[in-house]
Structures are given as structure tokens and as C-alpha cells.
Amino acid sequence: MEPRVSIIMGSTSDLGVMEAAAKILDEFEIPFEINALSAHRTPDAVELFAKGAKARGIEVIIAAAGMAAHLPGVIAAMTTLPVIGVPINASLNGLDSLLAIVQMPPGIPVATVAVNGAQNAGILAVQMMALGDASLAAKLDTFKETLKTKIVKANSDLAEIKFRYKTN
Ligand code: RP5
């Protein structure tokens, strides 16, 4: 299998969070790779990766980093592939990494998800790929349908809660 999505993280300490993105790609049967690269500790390897990803057949990059989180932006500066940034909560409740990833200068966007929002990063990657893939789009429709069942169950649970003045 050749990878279509690349999950990159600043450190293996980010893996616990990023597994949620991998789980989504597994669920949608999309081949992916996971590697650790650091904008600060391995800048040359980041450049090699970013400049070569498209030619290797990668379609979307999911890049996660914490603290001074320059990795997604630096990758986005060196490729025209869409880059989804995941701010990791490694310090300051993740606000430092959120701002570092989301506040990109004009011309170099990074699609930033919530702090530790790896699952949404995976889903967003699938949505991008589904634009040109009808069977993936159909799987996404089914996935989104299942999200409703959570709220249906929540309402049936709420119906069991009794208060003197509760009317439903
Ligand atoms: C960032 O610094 C990594 O993405 C990680 O979130 C954080 C801490 O890295 P380690 O010191 O755990 O390797 O570059």
C-alpha cells in the first residue's frame, strides 16, 4: 500500500493524541504513514519531507506540534498540498501551539483544528479526499448519519430524568 495521507508530529510524545487521526483513516480504509519530524530539531528532514511529499503521492498532510508549534506552517511553506494543523496541548493548555499554527501569514494557509483535535483532522482529510472519490463520499454520508444516534440517545436519556417541574 502506498500512503495517501501523511501524519507528521513534532515528537512521539504527541502520539497519544494523534492516534485519533490514525483511527479515522483506518476506519475509512485510507493508507497513511506516521512519522516524527521537528521543525526545530530536524529542520533539514522537514524540508526533504515537505518538498517530496506530493511526488510520493501524498494528497493531504496532517501535522501536529505542541509549544512553539512551527512544524505545520513550515511544511505548508514548502508544499502546495493541503496541510491540516493539530495544536497539541503540551504547555499553556495548548494556547501557545494553537496560536502558532492558526496565525499563518497571508498566502500560506494551515487548516487548523481544535487543540488536540486529531479526530477532526482525520475527518477533514477524508472530506478533502472525498471531493474526487464518490465511494469515499458515500462512506462519509454514513459516518455523519451515525453521529445523529448519539444525540437521539442523549434525548432518550434526558427523558428519564425526573424533576417536579420538568414537562418532557
Ligand atoms: C513539540 O514539543 C512537540 O510537538 C511536542 O508537542 C512538544 C514536546 O516535545 P518533547 O519534548 O516531548 O519531545 O516540538
Side-chain angles (χ1 to χ4, degrees), residues 10-11 13-14 41 64-67 88 90:
S11 168
S13 61
D14 303 329
R41 293 166 174 158
M67 305 172 88
I88 299 292

Side-chain angles (χ1 to χ4, degrees), residues 18-84:
M18 292 313 294
E19 276 172 349
K23 204 168 156 232
I24 289 289
L25 296 173
D26 250 1
E27 195 174 326
F28 282 91
E29 300 177 314
I30 294 173
F32 62 96
E33 60 182 15
I34 304 185
N35 289 295
L37 284 175
S38 165
H40 309 114
R41 293 166 174 158
T42 62
D44 294 340
V46 170
E47 183 178 358
L48 266 182
F49 164 77
K51 290 184 174 170
K54 197 172 185 177
R56 286 195 299 115
I58 299 297
E59 295 165 55
V60 183
I61 295 170
I62 298 174
M67 305 172 88
H70 299 135
L71 182 64
V74 165
I75 291 173
M78 292 187 284
T79 182
T80 54
L81 292 174
V83 177
I84 302 172

